[in-house]
Amino acid sequence: MTRLLLALDEQWPTRPDCPWVLLGPDGQPVSEGHSEPRHWPAAAECEVVLTGAQCLWLEVLLPRAARRDLPRLLAYALEDRLLKDPDTQHLTLTHRRPADEADKDLAGVLVIARERLRNLVAQLTAIGRSPRRVMAEVQTAPAGGDSWQLSLGPAGAILRCDAHGGLALDTDILSPLVAGQAAAARAANRAPAGLELHAAPGLPLPDLPALEADSGLPTRSGAPYQWWQGASGKAANLLNGDFAPRSSTSRLAAIGKPLALAGAALGIWLAATVGEVLWLKHSLSGIGERIERVYRSSFPNAPAVAPAAQMRQQLNLERARHGLLRDDDALALLARATEALGNDAAGSVAALRYEEGRLDLTLSGQGAARAEAVVGLLASRGVLADLRRDGATLHLLLRPETLQ
């Protein structure tokens, strides 16, 4: 199963282009790039990493209590640490660990504005890229060891002091910010062994001697920073609570219903289904009559045999008279297939054949590997396509009657 990972900064979707990477079933990158949504490759699933300071990762002291009390306790604990009302923020618990006080825990929580998360999910869903997971770069950036890890990416810098927290820093004033964090750590007797820098490919490293002099920490460069490497199953998913996908919410809501209600629920469902079928049958009949009336008023001298197909035929004739493409022309079908294949279209089509209104594409390479995802993407855009295997050769078939 392929996964498309998107790195969205605080300017998205106002500035629609973003870095992306396509991961294969083995979790390794198949392709990567930086482009607008119309050039993103097809994939079975979509996941998002929110870069920079869009999310705040805090650790708060909480009394030990039942899980159902966590939202109330978190909102109370964060009230004096947030600039805005906690009710306007979406909270995601990342971890709990024992505190020095015996009856309390330290809880990690990711904070993001509800409106920002709601808009992101709505925009991605509207373009057919509904996200399965949304993660925060402050958590996915590398961490670990006795040294602090400083990762430099296109959207800014992420400082990971340990595995339980992360902080987004402005690269324009990076040195004084790191120096301030180091001074605070020394004052709390938690100074690290050093500072390790990771820069994304193509980004220059800052002045390491100057950064070491300002922070007082031994500084060295580490492995390149790949923003997508930390987006594993261990990172917290911000799509929880009110933002959980409907399918997950429905399954959770169904668990634990009393068995005595099952029969009543089944009876209600059957009654509703029968009523819906009758209503749809009536609606379909009405639609057919309305189509026939529109056709007779538009073409009064032509017999109405199959009005929808006849109107479509007339539309294609008018398109041809005005020099426009018919929907069964080879170029029209090829444009839809190319759009679905995305950046890999040029290397994915080994041969093509067009005969009697049917386009037959012989797929190879990445196109063949992602054939099922391409068919699904075409379906989400109103196009039905068929796959046919001829020995080791895979064909993608588009027919004029499948276009809406």
Side-chain angles (χ1 to χ4, degrees):
M1 182 179 294
T2 56
R3 289 190 298 149
L4 178 65
L5 283 177
L6 307 173
L8 303 184
D9 62 17
E10 57 188 8
Q11 300 297 324
W12 198 91
T14 303
R15 190 176 61 198
D17 58 298
C18 73
W20 56 264
V21 61
L22 181 67
L23 301 180
D26 58 353
Q28 297 303 310
V30 176
S31 59
E32 58 183 306
H34 187 123
S35 62
E36 296 182 357
R38 59 196 178 100
H39 297 303
W40 295 346
E45 293 180 346
C46 178
E47 299 182 358
V48 173
V49 175
L50 297 180
T51 63
Q54 297 180 80
C55 292
L56 184 64
W57 196 6
L58 301 173
E59 199 170 45
V60 295
L61 195 64
L62 293 181
R64 290 179 181 171
R67 189 174 184 85
R68 64 176 180 273
D69 297 326
L70 273 179
R72 176 179 57 83
L73 294 175
L74 284 174
Y76 180 77
L78 292 169
E79 192 170 11
D80 59 348
R81 299 186 64 178
L82 299 177
L83 297 177
K84 296 183 179 181
D85 187 343
D87 290 339
T88 66
Q89 308 299 302
H90 177 62
L91 310 180
T92 299
L93 186 71
T94 59
H95 65 270
R96 293 181 72 175
R97 59 192 180 103
D100 294 335
E101 302 180 38
D103 59 341
K104 293 188 177 181
D105 286 337
L106 283 171
V109 57
L110 287 167
V111 183
I112 183 174
R114 284 181 171 274
E115 190 64 24
R116 172 60 175 164
L117 185 57
R118 184 178 296 110
N119 288 340
L120 280 173
V121 173
Q123 290 283 348
L124 289 168
T125 302
I127 60 176
R129 301 285 186 163
S130 182
R132 185 179 69 92
R133 299 174 67 216
V134 176
M135 296 156 283
E137 188 185 23
V138 290
Q139 188 184 21
T140 61
D146 297 330
S147 297
W148 286 359
Q149 308 293 318
L150 182 62
S151 302
L152 306 178
I158 302 294
L159 178 64
R160 296 293 304 275
C161 301
D162 54 36
H164 306 297
L167 180 66
L169 302 178
D170 188 343
T171 53
D172 292 335
I173 50 174
L174 183 61
S175 187
L177 290 177
V178 174
Q181 292 294 319
R186 280 191 289 269
N189 198 26
R190 297 198 307 268
L195 179 67
E196 186 172 348
L197 269 71
H198 309 270
L203 288 181
L205 284 171
D207 188 343
L208 297 187
L211 187 58
E212 181 172 340
D214 290 342
S215 65
L217 300 175
T219 303
R220 67 180 186 275
S221 62
Y225 175 45
Q226 304 285 359
W227 61 268
W228 50 268
Q229 286 183 333
S232 65
K234 296 181 181 179
N237 185 6
L238 301 183
L239 298 182
N240 57 76
D242 296 341
F243 292 92
R246 288 186 178 182
S247 57
S248 300
T249 304
S250 300
R251 286 194 297 268
L252 291 174
I255 294 175
K257 283 190 174 182
L259 187 60
L261 296 178
L266 180 60
I268 294 173
W269 176 79
L270 287 173
T273 301
V274 171
E276 184 180 11
V277 169
L278 294 176
W279 179 80
L280 289 175
K281 184 177 180 181
H282 174 74
S283 299
L284 184 60
S285 176
I287 292 173
E289 293 174 358
R290 191 156 55 247
I291 291 175
E292 184 173 350
R293 286 198 303 269
V294 171
Y295 178 76
R296 290 186 182 280
S297 63
S298 301
F299 308 100
N301 297 323
V305 179
Q310 289 174 286
M311 291 181 69
R312 178 177 179 178
Q313 184 180 21
Q314 293 293 338
L315 178 60
N316 276 333
L317 290 175
E318 290 298 318
R319 283 176 173 168
R321 285 179 53 197
H322 290 81
L324 302 175
L325 286 177
R326 298 163 52 98
D327 62 5
D328 58 354
D329 279 334
L331 289 178
L333 295 171
L334 185 59
R336 305 300 291 273
T338 302
E339 184 180 1
L341 288 167
N343 291 350
D344 299 320
S348 297
V349 179
L352 63 85
R353 181 179 180 183
Y354 179 76
E355 184 178 1
E356 297 181 355
R358 184 178 73 170
L359 181 65
D360 181 349
L361 299 179
T362 302
L363 299 181
S364 64
Q366 294 302 321
R370 306 197 329 266
E372 295 290 345
V374 170
V375 170
L377 186 58
L378 286 168
S380 69
R381 297 178 179 178
V383 178
L384 295 179
D386 295 323
L387 288 177
R388 179 173 60 82
R389 187 171 293 278
D390 184 8
T393 305
L394 187 63
H395 296 265
L396 176 66
L397 305 176
L398 293 176
R399 298 184 301 275
E401 61 267 23
T402 63
L403 291 177
Q404 295 183 350

